[in-house]
Amino acid sequence: MTAGHPGLDRERRRVAVRGLVQGVGFRPFVHTLAGELGLAGTVTNTGEGVLAEVEGSPDALDAFCRRVAGDAPPLAQVHSVEHAPLATTGATGFRIVPSSPDGPRTTLIPPDTAVCADCLAELADPADRRHRHPFISCTNCGPRHTIVTGLPYDRANTTMAGFPMCPDCAREYTDPADRRFHAQPVACHACGPALALTVPGRPGRPGRPGLAGEQALTEARRLLAEGAILAVKGIGGYHLACDARDTAAVALLRRRKRRGDKPFAVMARDLATVERLLPVDPVERELLTGPVRPIVLLRRTGLPVPEAVAPGSPDLGVMLPYTPLHHLLLAAPGPDLLVMTSANRSGEPIVTEDREALERLAPLVDGWLTHDRPIHVPCEDSVVRVVDGEQLPLRRSRGYAPLPIPLPVPVRPVLAVGGDLKNTFALARDGYAWLSGHIGDMDDLATLRAFERAVEQLGTVSGVRPELLAADRHPGYRSLRHAERTAAGRPVHRVQHHHAHIAAVMAEHGLDGGRPVLGVAFDGTGYGEDGAIWGGEVLLADYDGFRRLAHLRYVPLPGGDAAVERPYRTALAHLRAAGLPRLPQLPPVRACEGEELRLLERQLERGLNCAPTSSMGRLFDAVSSLAGICQRAGYEAQAAIELEAAACGFGREDGPVCGAAQRAGGYAFGLSARADGWIADPGPVLAAVVADVTAGAPAGLVAARFHGAVAELVRRICAAVRERHGTTTVALSGGVFANALLSSACASGLGEDGFTVLRHRRVPPNDGGLALGQLMVAARSAATREE
């Protein structure tokens, strides 16, 4: 007996589906599935997911409950399907009913997704009514996270609420057979957002009257081809764009943005353009062309673009167009490769408001290509690289946020505020953690305000109401002060920086903390329990706590930030600590001459403003300086990045990029055992570096040998710890492990030694992944206190 006809074998069920089921075409899918199975009923969005009431034969209902998860749309992620019997009503037909605004709000909102192939075909089809529509989208693609203003996910709760649908779009929106059935961003030329171009006058470049639509796009492309710099409004914020092949335009953008030598990312017209520039492996190709489309760091070979795009970097950050506007902007004729960098000053939040863009970006750009769809949630481009065939995220944002990460154990509702650099916070409850997109560096008021807005917004869509907070132990961190200021009586758990790094790796690999791991945490700065600056740490750790088993020998860091910005100061401090002579021909000595050198020596002698540090990041800086590679750092980790580039260049002709680091050898750390662990002494390495440099060895050889020495040190320490403690699982974390050369060399060597090696795959190894570890440690600590 078919559904819609009362009979003795007719049943009705309430089916609740939870997971990523809003904004991904799930209700249209349910509608189609019910029709195929001959079921009557309704489907709606709720604050917790999708709720269906279906009526028909028991066999058809069983098939529905099975297939609603198994056959779900490609962007959906079904976490649970619960069903319960209801009284039959004899209803006929199946319909989508208005969403319920009542009840708890805990559903998942999808990330923004790159424009799909079907929409691109329509974009290019002169016969299609959305031909060259810069905002074409459908159920399978387009903005989601950045336009959501509330739950449930309906058009009224997005920034598309201000664009009433025309009759044609409304017809598609209500047609179950249409690809845009209940697609909330649906629009067209007649009813959707519109482009506008503003070009003010500049010396030597007259202004132009405001242009709209196709004229705005045509003029923007012409300006880019002539060497102009434009602010381009995207999905999650503004980009600054210029022709990446125009050396003068790139140099001008670098000067205007005061970016120093920090690499720019580029957006290429298509994959063929990328492959003409750089080799692309299958995993990188999948990342470049998939629905996320992050910036992918590709290993450079030769000079495919002007050196000014990414000076001194071993990689070039490349992405492909992910919005219809990008495709139109990069279409031939015209530039096929654009610099696309966030429209902000370094460390500040990305610009999203139109008025703010006109004011703050005026000194930087020659024009603004904008549109009138508001951006509710700022969202930077994600950055990933591929190491040993696996994805390594360096910035988790667009395309990933706000997808939750499953946790290995349930946790109380918690807010982890992350660190002060590369800030990302996290909200968690039960078995999931929602990580924010990239916020920025917490050193100015604009970023702090962006942080507060983002916490409120993510709390709205996740439904998490924190009962405790987690923060870094560093007493000077603004993130910690924010947690303490807003705690309102809730406990604030301070989590040691490197413990949080290791806990993050454990969590993303599903470890429940029942057995400790051997955590290797290498970074630039982390507040230690003894008040020193840690950063070259080996910990025996679980979620309950850690033991510091090994670390680099302490070296005084003269002047704090001054040493970070001027690696030659760190190099000279390391030489002095190692008892090595300050030879006048050494690059750091030549860089630090006259009065500064005398003052530095006096500072080191007296220990004035010289915090002790065990930082591996600072050791990379010191070797970079000694090798003559980098004496002044204009951006974070510049010296270390350029050291990696030199090592890669040295080993390129020998085969795989990590081959040089594994084979060059020649340097070795001292390692002394103590009752409570081991101290690694960089003195012998530095002595060997000095000997090579004074003998005229190329910088690439020094860099490769240093990478090999660090990898060998990790192997030696882990082997010694296993012999004493029996631990066979090693977790690698901290910003230093963003270095592909080192990460690969360490993992390869440890694997040969029989260790299970855990590396980051879902959150960054840098401080962008810190919040995940913080919340796991804090939640465990809170649970222990309650037991």
Side-chain angles (χ1 to χ4, degrees):
M1 185 173 294
T2 61
H5 295 81
L8 294 177
D9 61 348
R10 187 179 178 89
E11 296 179 359
R12 187 176 183 89
R13 294 181 195 174
R14 179 182 186 274
V15 183
V17 186
R18 293 181 176 86
L20 182 57
V21 291
Q22 294 190 17
V24 294
F26 205 88
R27 289 178 299 170
F29 155 71
V30 169
H31 186 283
T32 301
L33 179 61
E36 179 184 331
L37 295 172
L39 297 171
T42 62
V43 64
T44 187
N45 278 341
T46 70
E48 295 185 298
V50 166
L51 180 66
E53 292 190 6
V54 286
E55 187 167 333
S57 71
D59 288 345
L61 291 172
D62 289 342
F64 178 89
C65 292
R66 182 175 63 253
R67 292 178 59 186
V68 76
D71 297 351
L75 296 182
Q77 296 180 16
V78 176
H79 293 165
S80 68
V81 178
E82 298 176 356
H83 55 90
L86 296 172
T88 58
T89 66
T92 59
F94 196 92
R95 59 194 177 92
I96 296 177
V97 300
S99 302
S100 170
D102 301 323
R105 299 187 174 190
T106 59
T107 193
L108 306 183
I109 296 298
D112 302 315
T113 304
V115 59
C116 69
D118 289 335
C119 283
L120 285 177
E122 294 170 343
L123 186 74
D125 182 0
D128 193 275
R129 72 185 191 89
R130 291 189 176 85
H131 175 55
R132 298 185 64 79
H133 178 48
F135 307 97
I136 189 170
S137 66
C138 70
T139 300
N140 300 318
C141 69
R144 298 293 192 273
H145 171 52
T146 52
I147 64 172
V148 169
T149 59
L151 292 178
Y153 178 69
D154 287 321
R155 193 178 182 97
N157 292 325
T158 73
T159 59
M160 289 299 294
F163 298 92
M165 284 181 279
C166 67
D168 287 335
C169 285
R171 187 163 45 252
E172 293 169 333
Y173 184 85
T174 55
D175 180 1
D178 196 278
R179 198 175 82 253
R180 294 184 171 89
F181 183 45
H182 279 257
Q184 306 309 335
V186 65
C188 68
H189 290 289
C191 64
L195 285 180
L197 179 69
T198 300
V199 183
R202 280 185 177 275
R205 188 193 296 272
R208 292 168 175 79
L211 299 175
E214 190 67 29
Q215 287 183 320
L217 181 63
T218 300
E219 181 66 7
R221 292 174 59 196
R222 190 183 71 78
L223 287 169
L224 289 169
E226 289 181 352
I229 298 168
L230 296 183
V232 180
K233 187 178 181 181
I235 284 182
Y238 276 82
H239 284 105
L240 302 180
C242 73
D243 184 354
R245 299 185 189 273
D246 186 330
T247 301
V250 175
L252 178 61
L253 175 57
R254 190 170 290 283
R255 288 197 304 273
R256 287 183 180 176
K257 199 177 180 188
R258 298 177 185 174
R259 192 175 171 91
D261 290 332
K262 187 175 183 179
F264 286 128
V266 298
M267 179 178 283
R269 176 180 294 159
D270 50 30
L271 183 62
T273 301
V274 179
E275 292 180 325
R276 285 193 293 269
L277 298 173
L278 299 162
V280 181
D281 72 25
V283 179
E284 293 165 340
R285 186 176 298 110
E286 183 178 352
L287 286 166
L288 286 167
T289 60
V292 175
R293 300 213 170 185
I295 297 169
V296 181
L297 299 187
L298 302 178
R299 192 63 80 189
R300 293 173 69 176
T301 54
L303 295 173
V305 295
E307 177 65 12
V309 172
S313 172
D315 307 299
L316 181 65
V318 180
M319 59 181 161
L320 292 182
Y322 55 85
T323 72
L325 176 58
H326 292 153
H327 283 274
L328 294 171
L329 201 59
L330 278 153
D336 65 346
L337 197 69
L338 295 177
V339 167
M340 281 290 220
T341 184
S342 300
N344 55 357
R345 299 286 189 186
S346 181
E348 294 180 355
I350 191 170
V351 173
T352 58
E353 298 288 342
D354 298 335
R355 182 176 300 177
E356 181 187 20
L358 289 171
E359 294 173 356
R360 287 178 56 192
L361 303 182
L364 308 182
V365 302
D366 302 306
W368 292 260
L369 182 61
T370 185
H371 58 78
D372 54 350
R373 182 178 66 203
I375 298 170
H376 186 68
V377 182
C379 200
E380 298 251 19
D381 292 318
S382 294
V383 182
V384 304
R385 73 186 317 165
V386 175
V387 181
D388 298 333
E390 296 284 348
Q391 175 179 320
L392 173 66
L394 301 180
R395 184 167 72 199
R396 184 184 185 272
S397 203
R398 177 187 52 78
Y400 299 100
L403 285 179
I405 292 176
L407 300 177
V409 293
V411 299
R412 286 175 56 189
V414 56
L415 165 64
V417 298
D420 272 19
L421 295 178
K422 294 182 172 63
N423 180 265
T424 297
F425 66 87
L427 288 163
R429 184 187 62 187
D430 301 328
Y432 291 95
W434 286 261
L435 271 67
S436 73
H438 174 78
I439 304 296
D441 296 344
M442 304 280 279
D443 56 1
D444 63 77
L445 185 59
T447 307
L448 289 170
R449 287 174 175 169
F451 174 90
E452 291 169 352
R453 290 193 298 269
V455 169
E456 180 180 0
Q457 189 273 338
L458 191 57
T460 298
V461 301
S462 67
V464 176
R465 300 294 178 262
E467 297 174 3
L468 64 150
L469 292 84
D472 195 274
R473 292 182 63 89
H474 196 303
Y477 269 14
R478 292 172 177 84
S479 50
L480 170 62
R481 293 202 294 267
H482 178 276
E484 292 175 333
R485 189 175 65 252
T486 59
R490 295 170 295 180
V492 177
H493 294 264
R494 298 186 181 194
V495 181
Q496 200 281 323
H497 191 89
H498 302 97
H499 186 199
H501 272 310
I502 301 306
V505 190
M506 294 172 61
E508 71 166 87
H509 282 273
L511 274 62
D512 64 7
R515 300 182 63 183
V517 302
L518 183 55
V520 181
F522 288 170
D523 63 4
T525 300
Y527 187 75
E529 293 196 325
D530 56 0
I533 299 173
W534 291 7
E537 313 306 311
V538 179
L539 312 177
L540 188 64
D542 54 25
Y543 301 128
D544 289 305
F546 69 93
R547 288 177 56 192
R548 190 188 194 197
L549 295 182
H551 62 87
L552 285 178
R553 189 194 64 197
Y554 284 142
V555 172
L557 186 67
D561 289 344
V564 175
E565 295 165 3
R566 287 174 273 177
Y568 62 82
R569 294 175 65 91
T570 303
L572 293 172
H574 269 278
L575 288 177
R576 191 176 191 279
L580 297 171
R582 195 184 65 212
L583 302 175
Q585 67 267 38
L586 290 175
V589 179
R590 296 200 307 269
C592 183
E593 296 180 327
E595 186 64 19
E596 183 185 6
L597 183 57
R598 287 190 291 273
L599 290 174
L600 177 61
E601 278 297 315
R602 192 174 307 137
Q603 183 179 9
L604 290 169
E605 286 173 4
R606 299 179 180 179
L608 297 174
N609 193 24
C610 290
T613 182
S614 59
S615 168
M616 181 62 78
R618 298 291 77 81
L619 181 59
F620 267 77
D621 291 351
V623 174
S624 184
S625 171
L626 284 166
I629 294 169
C630 180
Q631 305 303 333
R632 292 181 179 270
Y635 63 91
E636 184 190 7
Q638 178 178 350
I641 288 170
E642 293 183 358
L643 187 70
E644 181 189 5
C648 293
F650 171 78
R652 187 171 292 131
E653 68 274 11
D654 296 329
V657 70
C658 292
Q662 292 172 303
R663 293 192 298 271
Y667 301 165
F669 285 80
L671 189 62
S672 56
R674 300 186 179 184
D676 58 349
W678 294 264
I679 301 293
D681 181 8
V685 169
L686 295 168
V689 168
V690 169
D692 273 352
V693 170
T694 55
L701 175 62
V702 174
R705 285 180 169 173
F706 175 70
H707 279 79
V710 175
E712 183 61 24
L713 172 66
V714 171
R715 292 181 72 172
R716 290 167 63 197
I717 292 177
C718 290
V721 172
R722 178 171 58 187
E723 186 174 341
R724 185 179 295 185
H725 296 281
T727 310
T728 59
T729 299
V730 179
L732 306 179
S733 189
V736 169
F737 284 110
N739 180 319
L741 192 64
L742 181 67
S743 176
S744 182
C746 288
S748 176
L750 291 169
E752 291 177 6
D753 295 342
F755 287 98
T756 298
V757 182
L758 307 180
R759 289 185 282 178
H760 286 280
R761 295 290 176 256
R762 306 192 68 172
V763 302
N766 56 45
D767 286 5
L770 207 60
L772 178 61
Q774 288 176 347
L775 73 88
M776 291 301 299
V777 173
R780 179 59 187 162
S781 176
T784 301
R785 292 180 184 181
E786 293 175 354
E787 290 174 357

